Amino acid sequence: MKTVYDVAVVGCGAGGYQAAITAARLGAQVALIERDTLGGSCLNRACVPKKALAHMANLLAETQALAGLGLSGRLTADLKAAIAFKDKLVAGLIRGLPVRLQSLSVDLRMGTAHLVAPHEIHLSGPREHATISARSIILATGSAPRALAPCPVDHIRIVNGDSFIESLSRAADTVLCIGGGALGIEAAFILRQFGSHVTIIESGPRLLDRPVISDRAAGFLERRLVALGVTVRKGVTVQETKAYQDGVWVQFSDGSEGQFDRVLVAVGRVPQSDDLGLAALGVRFDSAGFVVTDEYCATNVPGLYAIGDMCGGVMTAAGAMHDGRIAGENAAGGEKRQRRPHQVPLVIDSAVSVAAVGLSEDMAEAAGFTPGVLSVPFAASVKAQAYNDAGGFIEIVHDEETGQMLGGCVVGAGADELVHLLAAACLSRRGLWTFTDLNYGHPSSGEIMGAALDSYLGVLSQSVDTLFRPGIYAHPD
Amino acid sequence: MKTVYDVAVVGCGAGGYQAAITAARLGAQVALIERDTLGGSCLNRACVPKKALAHMANLLAETQALAGLGLSGRLTADLKAAIAFKDKLVAGLIRGLPVRLQSLSVDLRMGTAHLVAPHEIHLSGPREHATISARSIILATGSAPRALAPCPVDHIRIVNGDSFIESLSRAADTVLCIGGGALGIEAAFILRQFGSHVTIIESGPRLLDRPVISDRAAGFLERRLVALGVTVRKGVTVQETKAYQDGVWVQFSDGSEGQFDRVLVAVGRVPQSDDLGLAALGVRFDSAGFVVTDEYCATNVPGLYAIGDMCGGVMTAAGAMHDGRIAGENAAGGEKRQRRPHQVPLVIDSAVSVAAVGLSEDMAEAAGFTPGVLSVPFAASVKAQAYNDAGGFIEIVHDEETGQMLGGCVVGAGADELVHLLAAACLSRRGLWTFTDLNYGHPSSGEIMGAALDSYLGVLSQSVDTLFRPGIYAHPD
């Protein structure tokens, strides 16, 4: 095995993996170091298992919406089989990773990394101990669930983001989710659809407290969770817990108490970088312990980059992958690229799908824009009505003056894909007019975007310039 | 009621309706004339009912794909309830049309239109006879199912596009679909999932013989239909039929014969414009009887426009709506706009969703481009694997020289929405690079577009210019 590389990446999660293949594609000699299972949180314990289980949960809701209206019989969730399917899925994806890395000549090195100098990593692995030097090093070691003092995790009765998916293989009739963020509400949806009685408690005044998600979106999501039978309590925290053989007793801040078969602690995540030796190198951290990076994903130590959860921010896999592409290219010595974290969609798969990109109205205002918000109900789409799932809405945030697209939020079926249209409009010089330039299939959800502008613009506007050669597109086929 | 208008639109189907509201939004006084049920074929007999039923058919397939893998129990289709749901859906949408027209001050005039002069329509309705004059007239009278001589439609045992949806309310164990076009394969999928034994015969060498759909896409779709139990026979036509009390006997061109409970004649559509008095005005028709129009949707008679199915072309509701926007704006005297029919997605909801936009490889070659095709399997998407539905692929057609996007085809789950991303890229100055500029949620189907370029480009490329103000997007939120 080599000891000298152009780029060494520490951590084979979504971000590190993306950084390694990006750099390799640019011709760099790349080492990718992982101390644990390949794929990181996203693949093993979060996004991927969640997507599979949320899909099943969603199918139960979608078919339920048509019960007696064309579908009969009864579908039930089989958690044991679902977990077996998930295990097989994840195992298959993990097996695929080394193959793809090998095809790009990325050296996968198993072991724990410790930075002994700015360009030098000591690797202690099960099969090797080595010193690896690299012109650039990209740190991508992710994050770990934040602990909650009154609620010590035992991974059996009291679980966290690391053990939640695993815990699903053991039935729980009653579950308490502490924290109404992405994990809490996604977990609550899955658990509820798979048969548990679920309570979410959230210390703040609303669920899904992310700046890019509007209050209205959060409120709609909450109502959908409640409609499914999830209990949502806001402004409440946990003061004390006692784990018994058969469950957990919980004392809440409002004086009430409860008994649950299982408790999920979902109160955010903390950076995971303690063992890397960064302090000794003088790497700068913020007050919360996140590594401080600039717009190029560079730390204050030359040649040392950091990406993804360990740097804070939105802390999503998609965000880490964005960083990975930026850092991978910058580390490989390509054109210097800046990160654009606002261009990364945030997607929540819960009782309703919520996805947002760019700036919310509040964020846009804070940034000095005069934002306008076009809001259209999903009911504007014939498709949504045909699916008997016309709840939800799309918010399109734009600059009133220029028509520049600033962002938007989709609350409704298929939000995880529809958000890409908003993202494309944010990148387009046509801004808001992207949605009138486009032709939509009929009936489709995309038409909602078009309908948003129907109510707003007196005059439709065609692309001034298109890339189509005249004559080709001017006639029917 | 007025007798003088800026714009009179004949036909309240998807195209005419769109033309009327477009012109009205631009300030024109508009009359919209309809002789039958509001909404046309699309709403009453085609797209809308089909979307509802295909969704149910699709849910049966999606849940079946996860049977034993997390979902148990058995869902069955209840055709009677589905038809009742469809009836209610359609009735609700029809009720909504006059409300929306009224809000834009469009006068809805019920009756049969006959053009007595280039700017004058004689209207004979159940409640009024009137002569309406208009500066511009937009014809949008649509099309009717093409007849097939050996197979006379009785709308009971032998049905066509007009009576197919209606016929679903009567059970049929065995069904023959004559014609492997959009209607035939969409109907076959619905019928099969709702319990019938279905045979498709197609006179040509492949299903879905549209230039924008590649042979590979058509072949994939055929295999999916066959996997569901549909019998597909190509290069076969019907020579003779005999309708009996309990079914239809059919003699095929290859010498074989068969007996079916029902036969669907789905061999294309013919323009519907006989009673309008167009010949007397000197309106030009092509050899197939379609009205000839130019790139502005104008006929050869000044002030007279024609749109949608009656003009031929792709003959979809989305296409008619595109025309409606163009003709509505041109007729109202706005900026002159050209139609771009290739920019309209074609969507097929069958055993697999197929959607295409722009040019196929063959079309691009014929148009003088040097096309490249990036083809990526749905399996490249972790989401597709998590849904256990990783069949299908996306083809991205572009100009090898310039990276200009020319079109593409999506074959797989969610194609009806994903195609909009291809459409957006076709309109973008960034062309193919649109897909690397974009950040995708993870896991998502949109990522497949990104993956398409992974395998192709050594160097990732960032938007040279974006509309984002620097400083706003350069930092995490």
Side-chain angles (χ1 to χ4, degrees):
Chain A
M1 277 277 186
K2 278 193 284 289
T3 56
V4 181
Y5 291 89
D6 298 319
V7 178
V9 181
V10 183
C12 182
Y17 179 75
Q18 187 67 55
I21 61 177
T22 301
R25 265 201 218 106
L26 291 169
Q29 298 279 319
V30 182
L32 176 55
I33 299 168
E34 174 58 53
R35 66 175 181 185
D36 197 352
T37 323
L38 301 182
S41 289
C42 165
L43 178 49
N44 291 281
R45 294 175 296 274
C47 321
V48 174
K50 179 263 297 183
K51 199 80 185 173
L53 297 170
H55 177 54
M56 296 179 197
N58 206 42
L59 281 177
L60 292 169
E62 276 191 275
T63 52
Q64 193 55 40
L66 291 166
L69 302 175
L71 297 179
S72 57
R74 201 175 137 66
L75 216 55
T76 52
D78 176 349
L79 202 41
K80 206 175 148 184
I83 295 298
F85 169 71
K86 182 276 296 178
D87 287 343
K88 208 178 145 195
L89 167 73
V90 170
L93 290 167
I94 289 175
R95 269 199 311 276
L97 291 182
V99 180
R100 191 150 167 236
L101 290 170
Q102 201 160 27
S103 76
L104 288 161
S105 303
V106 173
D107 283 348
L108 185 58
R109 311 285 289 255
M110 297 305 295
T112 302
H114 188 85
L115 273 69
V116 291
H119 297 276
E120 216 168 290
I121 296 170
H122 183 75
L123 172 73
S124 353
R127 284 192 305 265
E128 61 169 339
H129 286 257
T131 300
I132 287 174
S133 67
R135 210 179 58 228
S136 303
I137 294 175
I138 300 173
L139 305 173
T141 52
S143 62
R146 183 190 304 280
L148 184 66
C151 217
V153 166
D154 64 10
H155 296 305
I156 303 290
R157 288 154 301 185
I158 302 183
V159 301
N160 62 14
D162 279 350
S163 44
F164 165 67
I165 293 284
E166 184 60 33
S167 76
L168 288 171
S169 55
R170 303 180 306 276
D173 184 46
T174 56
V175 181
L176 173 68
C177 295
I178 305 176
L183 172 59
I185 57 183
E186 291 187 330
F189 174 57
I190 292 168
L191 285 162
R192 179 66 197 136
Q193 292 295 78
F194 277 80
S196 295
H197 294 91
V198 183
T199 301
I200 299 176
I201 62 164
E202 162 59 43
S203 60
R206 60 166 256 201
L207 299 183
L208 200 49
D209 189 20
R210 301 265 194 154
V212 74
I213 307 287
S214 68
D215 284 346
R216 186 173 165 226
F220 188 92
L221 170 62
E222 181 180 334
R223 287 192 297 280
R224 276 285 182 99
L225 281 166
V226 170
L228 281 179
V230 173
T231 302
V232 177
R233 299 172 61 188
K234 292 173 291 188
V236 177
T237 56
V238 167
Q239 285 199 318
E240 199 189 338
T241 60
K242 272 189 197 123
Y244 293 100
Q245 180 91 33
D246 53 349
V248 183
W249 170 86
V250 181
Q251 169 76 58
F252 296 105
S253 58
D254 61 0
S256 65
E257 53 188 78
Q259 185 100 12
F260 301 89
D261 293 330
R262 189 157 307 141
V263 173
L264 166 63
V265 180
V267 293
R269 297 179 72 85
V270 293
Q272 191 167 257
S273 57
D274 286 351
D275 313 328
L276 290 165
L278 301 185
L281 294 181
V283 171
R284 208 145 64 83
F285 295 89
D286 70 13
S287 59
F290 292 106
V291 174
V292 175
T293 54
D294 64 12
E295 63 268 42
Y296 304 103
C297 295
T299 69
N300 61 312
V301 175
L304 185 63
Y305 298 83
I307 63 172
D309 283 12
M310 73 189 303
C311 305
V314 290
M315 301 178 84
T316 64
M321 291 166 82
H322 172 79
D323 285 359
R325 280 186 290 270
I326 302 296
E329 190 159 341
N330 292 342
E335 210 182 327
K336 265 192 119 178
R337 292 185 67 195
Q338 294 192 352
R339 50 197 303 260
R340 302 264 190 264
H342 287 302
Q343 295 180 6
V344 181
L346 173 69
V347 177
I348 311 293
D349 297 304
S350 184
V352 66
S353 285
V354 178
V357 72
L359 305 180
S360 65
E361 187 177 13
D362 287 349
M363 291 163 80
E365 227 160 54
F369 291 97
T370 309
V373 180
L374 299 175
S375 177
V376 200
F378 257 64
S381 154
V382 172
K383 176 176 164 182
Q385 296 189 50
Y387 285 22
N388 200 31
D389 185 17
F393 53 89
I394 297 184
E395 290 176 337
I396 298 177
V397 182
H398 59 100
D399 184 43
E400 278 280 12
E401 243 173 278
T402 60
Q404 173 180 354
M405 272 291 294
L406 300 173
C409 183
V410 183
V411 181
D416 60 341
E417 303 298 338
L418 287 171
V419 72
H420 297 136
L421 268 189
L422 291 175
C426 285
L427 290 175
S428 168
R429 284 199 187 84
R430 295 283 298 161
L432 203 51
W433 281 264
T434 305
F435 300 121
T436 49
D437 291 347
L438 274 173
N439 289 279
Y440 304 94
H442 177 76
S444 70
S445 304
E447 287 179 300
I448 305 172
M449 312 272 182
L453 272 88
D454 275 358
S455 60
Y456 186 71
L457 297 171
V459 181
L460 302 173
S461 177
Q462 191 169 25
S463 274
V464 177
D465 297 302
T466 73
L467 283 169
F468 299 124
R469 281 192 204 168
I472 298 307
Y473 284 87
H475 297 289
D477 63 2
Chain B
M1 276 280 185
K2 278 193 284 285
T3 56
V4 181
Y5 291 89
D6 298 319
V7 178
V9 181
V10 183
C12 181
Y17 180 77
Q18 187 68 55
I21 61 176
T22 300
R25 266 201 218 105
L26 291 169
Q29 298 280 318
V30 181
L32 176 55
I33 299 168
E34 173 59 52
R35 67 174 182 187
D36 198 353
T37 323
L38 301 182
S41 288
C42 164
L43 178 49
N44 291 280
R45 296 175 296 274
C47 321
V48 174
K50 179 263 296 185
K51 200 78 184 175
L53 297 170
H55 176 53
M56 296 179 197
N58 206 41
L59 281 176
L60 292 168
E62 277 192 273
T63 52
Q64 194 55 40
L66 292 166
L69 302 176
L71 297 180
S72 57
R74 199 174 140 65
L75 216 54
T76 53
D78 176 349
L79 202 40
K80 208 175 145 182
I83 296 298
F85 170 71
K86 181 275 296 177
D87 286 344
K88 208 178 146 195
L89 167 73
V90 171
L93 290 168
I94 289 176
R95 270 198 310 276
L97 291 182
V99 180
R100 192 151 166 235
L101 290 170
Q102 201 160 25
S103 76
L104 288 162
S105 303
V106 173
D107 283 348
L108 185 58
R109 310 287 290 255
M110 298 304 296
T112 303
H114 188 85
L115 273 69
V116 291
H119 298 277
E120 215 169 289
I121 297 171
H122 183 75
L123 172 72
S124 352
R127 284 191 306 265
E128 60 168 340
H129 286 257
T131 300
I132 287 174
S133 68
R135 211 179 57 229
S136 303
I137 294 175
I138 301 172
L139 304 173
T141 52
S143 63
R146 184 190 304 279
L148 185 64
C151 218
V153 166
D154 63 10
H155 297 304
I156 303 289
R157 288 153 300 185
I158 302 183
V159 301
N160 62 13
D162 280 349
S163 46
F164 164 66
I165 293 283
E166 185 60 34
S167 76
L168 288 171
S169 55
R170 303 180 306 275
D173 184 46
T174 55
V175 181
L176 172 67
C177 294
I178 305 176
L183 171 59
I185 56 182
E186 291 188 329
F189 173 56
I190 292 169
L191 286 162
R192 179 64 196 137
Q193 292 295 80
F194 277 80
S196 296
H197 294 92
V198 183
T199 300
I200 298 175
I201 62 163
E202 161 60 43
S203 60
R206 60 166 256 201
L207 299 184
L208 200 50
D209 189 19
R210 302 264 195 156
V212 72
I213 307 287
S214 67
D215 284 346
R216 185 173 166 225
F220 189 92
L221 171 62
E222 181 180 334
R223 288 192 296 280
R224 276 286 180 100
L225 280 166
V226 169
L228 281 180
V230 173
T231 301
V232 177
R233 299 173 61 189
K234 292 172 291 187
V236 177
T237 57
V238 168
Q239 285 199 318
E240 198 191 338
T241 60
K242 271 190 199 122
Y244 293 100
Q245 181 92 34
D246 54 348
V248 183
W249 170 85
V250 181
Q251 169 76 57
F252 296 105
S253 58
D254 61 358
S256 65
E257 52 187 78
Q259 184 102 12
F260 301 90
D261 294 329
R262 189 158 306 143
V263 173
L264 167 64
V265 180
V267 293
R269 298 179 71 85
V270 293
Q272 190 167 258
S273 57
D274 286 352
D275 313 329
L276 290 166
L278 301 185
L281 295 182
V283 171
R284 208 145 64 83
F285 295 88
D286 70 12
S287 59
F290 293 105
V291 174
V292 175
T293 53
D294 65 12
E295 64 267 42
Y296 303 103
C297 294
T299 69
N300 59 312
V301 175
L304 185 62
Y305 298 84
I307 64 173
D309 283 13
M310 71 189 304
C311 305
V314 290
M315 300 179 83
T316 64
M321 292 167 81
H322 172 79
D323 284 0
R325 279 186 290 269
I326 302 296
E329 189 159 340
N330 292 342
E335 210 182 326
K336 266 192 119 179
R337 293 185 66 193
Q338 294 192 354
R339 51 198 302 261
R340 302 264 191 264
H342 286 303
Q343 296 181 6
V344 181
L346 173 69
V347 177
I348 311 292
D349 297 304
S350 185
V352 67
S353 285
V354 178
V357 72
L359 306 178
S360 65
E361 186 177 15
D362 287 349
M363 291 163 80
E365 227 160 54
F369 291 96
T370 310
V373 180
L374 299 175
S375 178
V376 200
F378 257 64
S381 154
V382 172
K383 176 176 165 182
Q385 295 189 50
Y387 285 21
N388 200 32
D389 184 17
F393 52 88
I394 297 183
E395 289 176 337
I396 297 176
V397 182
H398 59 101
D399 184 44
E400 279 279 13
E401 245 172 277
T402 61
Q404 173 180 354
M405 271 292 294
L406 300 174
C409 184
V410 184
V411 180
D416 61 340
E417 303 298 339
L418 286 171
V419 72
H420 296 137
L421 268 187
L422 291 174
C426 285
L427 290 175
S428 167
R429 284 200 188 81
R430 296 283 298 160
L432 203 50
W433 281 264
T434 305
F435 301 121
T436 51
D437 290 347
L438 275 173
N439 288 279
Y440 304 94
H442 178 76
S444 70
S445 304
E447 287 178 301
I448 305 171
M449 312 272 180
L453 273 88
D454 276 357
S455 59
Y456 187 70
L457 297 171
V459 180
L460 302 174
S461 175
Q462 191 169 22
S463 274
V464 177
D465 297 301
T466 75
L467 284 169
F468 297 125
R469 282 194 204 167
I472 297 306
Y473 284 86
H475 296 290
D477 62 3

